[in-house]
mmCIF file of all heavy atoms in Angstrom:
data_model
loop_
_atom_site.group_PDB
_atom_site.id
_atom_site.type_symbol
_atom_site.label_atom_id
_atom_site.label_comp_id
_atom_site.label_asym_id
_atom_site.label_seq_id
_atom_site.Cartn_x
_atom_site.Cartn_y
_atom_site.Cartn_z
ATOM 1 N N LEU A 1 -40.077 1.269 45.492
ATOM 2 C CA LEU A 1 -41.385 1.860 45.210
ATOM 3 C C LEU A 1 -41.549 2.231 43.746
ATOM 4 O O LEU A 1 -42.591 1.987 43.151
ATOM 5 C CB LEU A 1 -41.599 3.103 46.083
ATOM 6 C CG LEU A 1 -42.997 3.735 45.985
ATOM 7 C CD1 LEU A 1 -44.070 2.742 46.407
ATOM 8 C CD2 LEU A 1 -43.085 4.995 46.829
ATOM 9 N N GLU A 2 -40.516 2.794 43.151
ATOM 10 C CA GLU A 2 -40.596 3.229 41.759
ATOM 11 C C GLU A 2 -39.666 2.383 40.887
ATOM 12 O O GLU A 2 -38.572 2.020 41.304
ATOM 13 C CB GLU A 2 -40.205 4.694 41.629
ATOM 14 C CG GLU A 2 -41.065 5.634 42.461
ATOM 15 C CD GLU A 2 -42.497 5.721 41.953
ATOM 16 O OE1 GLU A 2 -42.724 5.381 40.770
ATOM 17 O OE2 GLU A 2 -43.361 6.120 42.739
ATOM 18 N N LEU A 3 -40.101 2.077 39.705
ATOM 19 C CA LEU A 3 -39.248 1.347 38.766
ATOM 20 C C LEU A 3 -39.557 1.796 37.345
ATOM 21 O O LEU A 3 -40.659 1.631 36.857
ATOM 22 C CB LEU A 3 -39.471 -0.171 38.879
ATOM 23 C CG LEU A 3 -38.646 -1.015 37.911
ATOM 24 C CD1 LEU A 3 -37.156 -0.864 38.218
ATOM 25 C CD2 LEU A 3 -39.025 -2.476 37.988
ATOM 26 N N GLN A 4 -38.575 2.374 36.717
ATOM 27 C CA GLN A 4 -38.664 2.744 35.312
ATOM 28 C C GLN A 4 -37.420 2.201 34.618
ATOM 29 O O GLN A 4 -36.415 1.892 35.251
ATOM 30 C CB GLN A 4 -38.738 4.266 35.151
ATOM 31 C CG GLN A 4 -39.902 4.909 35.878
ATOM 32 C CD GLN A 4 -41.253 4.494 35.321
ATOM 33 O OE1 GLN A 4 -41.346 4.163 34.128
ATOM 34 N NE2 GLN A 4 -42.278 4.518 36.145
ATOM 35 N N GLU A 5 -37.476 2.083 33.317
ATOM 36 C CA GLU A 5 -36.352 1.511 32.573
ATOM 37 C C GLU A 5 -35.041 2.249 32.836
ATOM 38 O O GLU A 5 -33.982 1.645 32.976
ATOM 39 C CB GLU A 5 -36.661 1.525 31.072
ATOM 40 C CG GLU A 5 -37.688 0.491 30.660
ATOM 41 C CD GLU A 5 -37.919 0.505 29.165
ATOM 42 O OE1 GLU A 5 -37.008 0.069 28.443
ATOM 43 O OE2 GLU A 5 -38.982 0.967 28.730
ATOM 44 N N ASN A 6 -35.108 3.551 32.948
ATOM 45 C CA ASN A 6 -33.874 4.318 33.121
ATOM 46 C C ASN A 6 -33.363 4.315 34.563
ATOM 47 O O ASN A 6 -32.339 4.927 34.863
ATOM 48 C CB ASN A 6 -34.068 5.768 32.647
ATOM 49 C CG ASN A 6 -35.175 6.473 33.411
ATOM 50 O OD1 ASN A 6 -35.867 5.861 34.203
ATOM 51 N ND2 ASN A 6 -35.334 7.758 33.159
ATOM 52 N N THR A 7 -34.075 3.660 35.468
ATOM 53 C CA THR A 7 -33.621 3.585 36.860
ATOM 54 C C THR A 7 -33.259 2.161 37.274
ATOM 55 O O THR A 7 -33.038 1.893 38.445
ATOM 56 C CB THR A 7 -34.703 4.108 37.829
ATOM 57 O OG1 THR A 7 -35.878 3.277 37.726
ATOM 58 C CG2 THR A 7 -35.066 5.540 37.522
ATOM 59 N N LEU A 8 -33.198 1.255 36.305
ATOM 60 C CA LEU A 8 -32.918 -0.138 36.644
ATOM 61 C C LEU A 8 -31.518 -0.328 37.219
ATOM 62 O O LEU A 8 -31.337 -1.013 38.224
ATOM 63 C CB LEU A 8 -33.087 -1.024 35.402
ATOM 64 C CG LEU A 8 -34.518 -1.376 35.026
ATOM 65 C CD1 LEU A 8 -34.539 -2.065 33.671
ATOM 66 C CD2 LEU A 8 -35.148 -2.279 36.078
ATOM 67 N N ALA A 9 -30.525 0.271 36.591
ATOM 68 C CA ALA A 9 -29.143 0.045 37.019
ATOM 69 C C ALA A 9 -28.900 0.414 38.483
ATOM 70 O O ALA A 9 -28.336 -0.386 39.235
ATOM 71 C CB ALA A 9 -28.181 0.802 36.115
ATOM 72 N N PRO A 10 -29.330 1.577 38.961
ATOM 73 C CA PRO A 10 -29.082 1.921 40.358
ATOM 74 C C PRO A 10 -29.815 1.020 41.346
ATOM 75 O O PRO A 10 -29.456 0.966 42.512
ATOM 76 C CB PRO A 10 -29.606 3.360 40.465
ATOM 77 C CG PRO A 10 -29.712 3.864 39.081
ATOM 78 C CD PRO A 10 -29.946 2.677 38.224
ATOM 79 N N LEU A 11 -30.847 0.310 40.892
ATOM 80 C CA LEU A 11 -31.621 -0.544 41.794
ATOM 81 C C LEU A 11 -30.809 -1.729 42.298
ATOM 82 O O LEU A 11 -31.085 -2.264 43.368
ATOM 83 C CB LEU A 11 -32.876 -1.070 41.084
ATOM 84 C CG LEU A 11 -34.102 -0.157 41.111
ATOM 85 C CD1 LEU A 11 -35.215 -0.765 40.278
ATOM 86 C CD2 LEU A 11 -34.575 0.074 42.532
ATOM 87 N N ASN A 12 -29.815 -2.157 41.535
ATOM 88 C CA ASN A 12 -29.118 -3.392 41.882
ATOM 89 C C ASN A 12 -28.056 -3.176 42.958
ATOM 90 O O ASN A 12 -26.882 -3.463 42.765
ATOM 91 C CB ASN A 12 -28.513 -4.018 40.625
ATOM 92 C CG ASN A 12 -29.554 -4.254 39.558
ATOM 93 O OD1 ASN A 12 -29.474 -3.707 38.480
ATOM 94 N ND2 ASN A 12 -30.550 -5.069 39.875
ATOM 95 N N LYS A 13 -28.456 -2.673 44.095
ATOM 96 C CA LYS A 13 -27.538 -2.432 45.197
ATOM 97 C C LYS A 13 -27.252 -3.712 45.960
ATOM 98 O O LYS A 13 -26.145 -3.968 46.392
ATOM 99 C CB LYS A 13 -28.120 -1.384 46.140
ATOM 100 C CG LYS A 13 -28.351 -0.024 45.483
ATOM 101 C CD LYS A 13 -29.079 0.901 46.445
ATOM 102 C CE LYS A 13 -29.394 2.233 45.778
ATOM 103 N NZ LYS A 13 -30.190 3.110 46.667
ATOM 104 N N GLU A 14 -28.271 -4.508 46.166
ATOM 105 C CA GLU A 14 -28.138 -5.740 46.939
ATOM 106 C C GLU A 14 -29.400 -6.572 46.747
ATOM 107 O O GLU A 14 -30.442 -6.073 46.360
ATOM 108 C CB GLU A 14 -27.958 -5.421 48.422
ATOM 109 C CG GLU A 14 -29.122 -4.633 49.014
ATOM 110 C CD GLU A 14 -28.902 -4.225 50.447
ATOM 111 O OE1 GLU A 14 -28.160 -4.931 51.151
ATOM 112 O OE2 GLU A 14 -29.471 -3.211 50.874
ATOM 113 N N ASN A 15 -29.287 -7.869 47.046
ATOM 114 C CA ASN A 15 -30.474 -8.718 47.051
ATOM 115 C C ASN A 15 -31.407 -8.249 48.148
ATOM 116 O O ASN A 15 -30.994 -8.076 49.302
ATOM 117 C CB ASN A 15 -30.082 -10.172 47.312
ATOM 118 C CG ASN A 15 -29.362 -10.804 46.142
ATOM 119 O OD1 ASN A 15 -29.501 -10.374 45.007
ATOM 120 N ND2 ASN A 15 -28.580 -11.828 46.414
ATOM 121 N N ARG A 16 -32.672 -8.078 47.813
ATOM 122 C CA ARG A 16 -33.618 -7.637 48.832
ATOM 123 C C ARG A 16 -35.048 -7.946 48.402
ATOM 124 O O ARG A 16 -35.377 -7.901 47.209
ATOM 125 C CB ARG A 16 -33.463 -6.148 49.115
ATOM 126 C CG ARG A 16 -33.705 -5.231 47.923
ATOM 127 C CD ARG A 16 -33.099 -3.862 48.233
ATOM 128 N NE ARG A 16 -33.429 -2.859 47.251
ATOM 129 C CZ ARG A 16 -32.780 -2.720 46.093
ATOM 130 N NH1 ARG A 16 -31.809 -3.554 45.763
ATOM 131 N NH2 ARG A 16 -33.118 -1.753 45.255
ATOM 132 N N VAL A 17 -35.872 -8.285 49.367
ATOM 133 C CA VAL A 17 -37.277 -8.589 49.091
ATOM 134 C C VAL A 17 -38.154 -8.009 50.187
ATOM 135 O O VAL A 17 -37.758 -7.909 51.342
ATOM 136 C CB VAL A 17 -37.529 -10.115 49.000
ATOM 137 C CG1 VAL A 17 -36.778 -10.729 47.843
ATOM 138 C CG2 VAL A 17 -37.180 -10.809 50.310
ATOM 139 N N VAL A 18 -39.340 -7.626 49.771
ATOM 140 C CA VAL A 18 -40.409 -7.257 50.689
ATOM 141 C C VAL A 18 -41.587 -8.150 50.334
ATOM 142 O O VAL A 18 -41.959 -8.244 49.164
ATOM 143 C CB VAL A 18 -40.802 -5.774 50.544
ATOM 144 C CG1 VAL A 18 -41.969 -5.442 51.459
ATOM 145 C CG2 VAL A 18 -39.617 -4.874 50.851
ATOM 146 N N LEU A 19 -42.151 -8.829 51.316
ATOM 147 C CA LEU A 19 -43.223 -9.773 50.985
ATOM 148 C C LEU A 19 -44.197 -9.949 52.135
ATOM 149 O O LEU A 19 -43.871 -9.700 53.300
ATOM 150 C CB LEU A 19 -42.640 -11.125 50.581
ATOM 151 C CG LEU A 19 -41.736 -11.858 51.570
ATOM 152 C CD1 LEU A 19 -42.561 -12.724 52.530
ATOM 153 C CD2 LEU A 19 -40.752 -12.755 50.815
ATOM 154 N N VAL A 20 -45.391 -10.361 51.771
ATOM 155 C CA VAL A 20 -46.392 -10.774 52.754
ATOM 156 C C VAL A 20 -46.119 -12.237 53.117
ATOM 157 O O VAL A 20 -45.991 -13.080 52.230
ATOM 158 C CB VAL A 20 -47.820 -10.621 52.197
ATOM 159 C CG1 VAL A 20 -48.839 -11.175 53.179
ATOM 160 C CG2 VAL A 20 -48.118 -9.161 51.901
ATOM 161 N N ASP A 21 -46.002 -12.509 54.391
ATOM 162 C CA ASP A 21 -45.702 -13.864 54.860
ATOM 163 C C ASP A 21 -46.988 -14.692 54.828
ATOM 164 O O ASP A 21 -47.689 -14.833 55.821
ATOM 165 C CB ASP A 21 -45.131 -13.808 56.272
ATOM 166 C CG ASP A 21 -44.635 -15.168 56.753
ATOM 167 O OD1 ASP A 21 -44.760 -16.145 55.991
ATOM 168 O OD2 ASP A 21 -44.149 -15.250 57.894
ATOM 169 N N THR A 22 -47.286 -15.250 53.670
ATOM 170 C CA THR A 22 -48.536 -15.998 53.481
ATOM 171 C C THR A 22 -48.497 -17.402 54.086
ATOM 172 O O THR A 22 -49.532 -18.028 54.278
ATOM 173 C CB THR A 22 -48.857 -16.139 51.980
ATOM 174 O OG1 THR A 22 -47.784 -16.829 51.344
ATOM 175 C CG2 THR A 22 -49.041 -14.782 51.336
ATOM 176 N N GLU A 23 -47.298 -17.917 54.369
ATOM 177 C CA GLU A 23 -47.162 -19.313 54.778
ATOM 178 C C GLU A 23 -46.672 -19.490 56.222
ATOM 179 O O GLU A 23 -46.373 -20.604 56.635
ATOM 180 C CB GLU A 23 -46.175 -20.039 53.842
ATOM 181 C CG GLU A 23 -46.491 -19.887 52.368
ATOM 182 C CD GLU A 23 -47.885 -20.377 52.036
ATOM 183 O OE1 GLU A 23 -48.187 -21.542 52.338
ATOM 184 O OE2 GLU A 23 -48.683 -19.575 51.502
ATOM 185 N N ASN A 24 -46.589 -18.389 56.965
ATOM 186 C CA ASN A 24 -45.977 -18.443 58.303
ATOM 187 C C ASN A 24 -44.578 -19.041 58.228
ATOM 188 O O ASN A 24 -44.115 -19.728 59.138
ATOM 189 C CB ASN A 24 -46.839 -19.250 59.284
ATOM 190 C CG ASN A 24 -48.117 -18.518 59.662
ATOM 191 O OD1 ASN A 24 -48.101 -17.306 59.831
ATOM 192 N ND2 ASN A 24 -49.207 -19.252 59.768
#
C-alpha cells in the first residue's frame, strides 16, 4: 500500500503481485 524511498529495502520479502485479471 505504501512505498517511499526509505522503505524500499524491507519491501523485498518475496515476489508478489496484486492485479486485476483483465484477460481471464
Side-chain angles (χ1 to χ4, degrees):
L1 186 60
E2 302 292 340
L3 179 64
Q4 302 295 332
E5 287 182 71
N6 59 354
T7 62
L8 281 171
L11 275 175
N12 304 119
K13 299 173 183 176
E14 59 184 332
N15 289 336
R16 61 198 188 278
V17 296
V18 177
L19 58 87
V20 175
D21 187 359
T22 60
E23 308 303 304
N24 289 322

